Amino acid sequence: QVYLVESGGGLAQAGGSLRLSCKAPRAITSTFNPLTFGWYRQAPGKQRELVGTITSTGNTNYVDSVKGRFSISRNNARKTVYLQMTSLKPEDTAVYFCNTPLQANNNDWGQGTQVTVNDWGQGTQVTVSP
């Protein structure tokens, strides 16, 4: 079993970017390095879905809805997997998890990290002098 901690979520505007991290603080590199990792997400009222995976050799695969926008990478020395998200859309709003396929099949999940994408504009400041 690999203990995983996700971080980096937050509020983003549509079209913006976020980078999520997934760290295995208790793993030793000989355990971490051979593992395939997946990033998953669960939107409100929906089932958890696989977003993409990265193998031990760095090969990646993505679900069609994020291809060209999301990128998974890993730094084995830091025992960390990353999910770079660009061109964010409101429908990307979800709790994001990373996991190994084995732990996912065993329904063994971490806390995840919340990503919220709104489609509000920047707004414009109005100042009224007395």
Side-chain angles (χ1 to χ4, degrees), residues 22-121:
C22 170
K23 194 168 271 194
R26 301 175 187 170
I28 56 176
T29 54
S30 60
T31 300
F32 182 89
N33 294 357
L35 294 174
T36 290
F37 290 92
W39 278 100
Y40 304 76
R41 65 185 179 186
Q42 186 166 21
K46 295 189 176 180
Q47 287 196 327
R48 193 164 359 221
E49 66 168 344
L50 178 63
V51 173
T53 58
I54 185 166
T55 68
S56 60
T57 56
N59 291 324
T60 55
N61 277 292
Y62 304 93
V63 68
D64 285 346
S65 60
V66 308
K67 278 181 183 176
R69 301 189 299 121
F70 289 12
S71 175
I72 300 174
S73 61
R74 64 191 293 163
N75 184 323
N76 287 342
R78 296 184 176 179
K79 295 176 291 181
T80 303
V81 179
Y82 302 97
L83 177 65
Q84 178 69 50
M85 305 185 294
T86 63
S87 301
L88 282 164
K89 304 176 181 180
E91 52 263 43
D92 294 320
T93 295
V95 179
Y96 284 72
F97 304 84
C98 72
N99 216 344
T100 66
L102 177 61
Q103 290 180 175
N105 287 338
N106 290 337
N107 204 29
D108 182 6
W109 297 94
Q111 297 272 19
T113 185
Q114 175 71 48
V115 170
T116 302
V117 183
N118 68 40
D119 55 4
W120 288 85

Side-chain angles (χ1 to χ4, degrees), residues 1-5 23-27 103:
Q1 187 178 11
V2 181
Y3 174 65
L4 298 168
V5 179
K23 194 168 271 194
R26 301 175 187 170
Q103 290 180 175

